[in-house]
Amino acid sequence: MSAINIEKCPLCGSPDLKKVFDVVDHFSSGESFPVCDCRSCGFRFTNNFPSEDLIGKYYDSPDYISHSDSDKGIANKLYHLTRRYMLAEKAKLVSCYAGGEPGRLLDVGCGTGYFLQTAKEKGFTVTGIEKNERARMHAITRFGLDVKDDKSFFDIADGSFNVVTLWHVLEHLEHLNESIKKVRDILTPDGIAVMALPNHQGYDARFYQTSWAAYDVPRHLWHFSANAIEKMLNKHRLKIMDIRPMPLDAFYISLLSEKYRDSNTLVRYGRAFMVGMAGYFCSLRNVEESSSLIYIVKKN
Ligand SMILES: [Zn+2]
């Protein structure tokens, strides 16, 4: 296996890195991957992860619900129920921050196209980028959407989109700095980027530690906090306009984390509910307690 070994912090360039702990890939391979922190800026990331051309098989599971329409099992049913609610919320949020008439919207990592379709119904002219062929074909055939493969992302002309959305996508992209730079380039001067990211400093992440399902190694390469993403965006002449919590994510992530801990069913649902509720109430006081955060970003 060809692994990417990171020797310098992708955020600040420091070679002073330390391993925090190993995290097991419970979802797909059962392999362990080291999660490291940069001693200089605190940026957290997965190390020794498979390169872009080999990582595909780590996504290749019928359980990967971001890319399927399966509604088997309670966790999947819960996911689909919350997805419907979240799609409407996401579209509302994007319309609100974009202001004015709906313009051109690009969803990077659009999966099976549900958000794009919702945005299209709101009046946006939509385009998607999706690496997974099965998901891409679903978006094209079911909704008739304009969805291109991931290679096309870097061919997009500068200033083409008023809105670029990345819903839980940036943490998957091997070429992190290049991807953020490209997002900046393709935005119009007053365009907005909307990025949803897991937050490893949230309540549920601290509770579950190495079992926290949103570490999701080796698919998640970069583990952001509000502080780290702010530094990363500033480096690329982007600034955060607002941060919004995604409190519902804590319930789903906690349920998955309990599954990874192999808790019995009663404990699993009981504790996931308690952790989800605790995280939710903490996030009302401090947004950075939220399991995931949505960043509204503009050019500097
Ligand atoms: Zn660093």
Side-chain angles (χ1 to χ4, degrees):
M1 188 181 85
S2 148
I4 303 284
N5 182 37
I6 293 181
E7 292 172 338
K8 281 184 180 172
C9 171
L11 174 47
C12 75
S14 167
D16 194 6
L17 312 174
K18 64 165 182 190
K19 185 169 105 172
V20 187
F21 40 56
D22 285 311
V23 176
V24 176
D25 172 15
H26 292 280
F27 166 75
S28 162
S29 67
E31 294 168 29
S32 282
F33 296 87
V35 167
C36 298
D37 276 353
C38 168
R39 279 200 178 92
S40 177
C41 72
F43 184 52
R44 182 167 287 192
F45 54 92
T46 305
N47 214 341
N48 300 335
F49 54 81
S51 56
E52 210 172 33
D53 50 329
L54 295 170
I55 206 161
K57 72 167 183 166
Y58 293 86
Y59 287 83
D60 213 7
S61 162
D63 291 339
Y64 198 60
I65 49 186
S66 290
H67 289 159
S68 87
D69 269 349
S70 163
D71 62 353
K72 287 183 196 126
I74 294 176
N76 271 2
K77 282 201 169 68
L78 197 65
Y79 174 82
H80 283 279
L81 204 67
T82 54
R83 183 175 67 174
R84 207 175 312 155
Y85 170 75
M86 285 309 296
L87 282 171
E89 288 294 302
K90 285 172 176 175
K92 205 158 68 179
L93 181 136
V94 167
S95 295
C96 168
Y97 282 98
E101 291 293 303
R104 289 176 51 81
L105 180 147
L106 178 76
D107 189 27
V108 182
C110 68
T112 43
Y114 283 87
F115 171 70
L116 275 180
Q117 180 60 20
T118 311
K120 189 176 163 187
E121 286 163 9
K122 280 252 178 195
F124 286 96
T125 305
V126 300
T127 305
I129 296 286
E130 175 54 44
K131 182 179 178 175
N132 182 284
E133 195 189 350
R134 203 156 53 110
R136 191 168 65 240
M137 291 319 292
H138 182 282
I140 294 169
T141 53
R142 172 156 182 177
F143 297 120
L145 294 165
D146 172 23
V147 180
K148 300 176 170 68
D149 67 18
D150 54 319
K151 307 276 184 301
S152 311
F153 175 59
F154 287 96
D155 297 333
I156 296 172
D158 290 358
S160 312
F161 290 94
N162 312 86
V163 181
V164 179
T165 52
L166 300 100
W167 302 109
H168 288 284
V169 168
L170 199 61
E171 65 271 34
H172 295 263
L173 304 179
E174 182 181 318
H175 304 287
L176 178 61
N177 282 289
E178 294 86 341
S179 301
I180 296 174
K181 182 186 179 300
K182 187 66 191 176
V183 168
R184 188 189 192 282
D185 290 345
I186 62 181
L187 278 176
T188 54
D190 58 351
I192 60 160
V194 179
M195 303 176 176
L197 293 165
N199 170 29
H200 78 84
Q201 289 183 348
Y203 181 90
D204 54 322
R206 296 200 311 278
F207 183 87
Y208 286 109
Q209 296 283 323
T210 60
S211 324
W212 186 51
Y215 277 121
D216 203 22
V217 295
R219 290 159 297 281
H220 288 188
L221 313 177
W222 324 113
H223 310 294
F224 290 101
S225 61
N227 186 265
I229 189 67
E230 184 174 25
K231 285 181 194 159
M232 183 58 98
L233 292 168
N234 289 345
K235 181 179 157 185
H236 292 282
R237 294 180 296 130
L238 290 161
K239 61 183 172 190
I240 297 174
M241 306 301 294
D242 207 355
I243 304 179
R244 302 285 294 265
M246 297 181 88
L248 286 180
D249 275 24
F251 293 95
Y252 178 68
I253 293 297
S254 297
L255 203 51
L256 261 183
S257 305
E258 290 291 340
K259 185 180 162 192
Y260 294 167
R261 279 181 160 191
D262 214 14
S263 322
N264 74 51
T265 308
L266 198 62
V267 171
R268 189 182 294 182
Y269 285 94
R271 198 160 48 200
F273 181 73
M274 297 300 284
V275 174
M277 286 305 281
Y280 171 70
F281 284 115
C282 288
S283 72
L284 292 179
R285 267 181 308 158
N286 177 6
V287 77
E288 290 177 33
E289 293 286 354
S290 181
S291 183
S292 288
L293 290 167
I294 302 173
Y295 302 92
I296 320 299
V297 175
K298 280 198 147 193
K299 287 187 178 187
N300 232 341

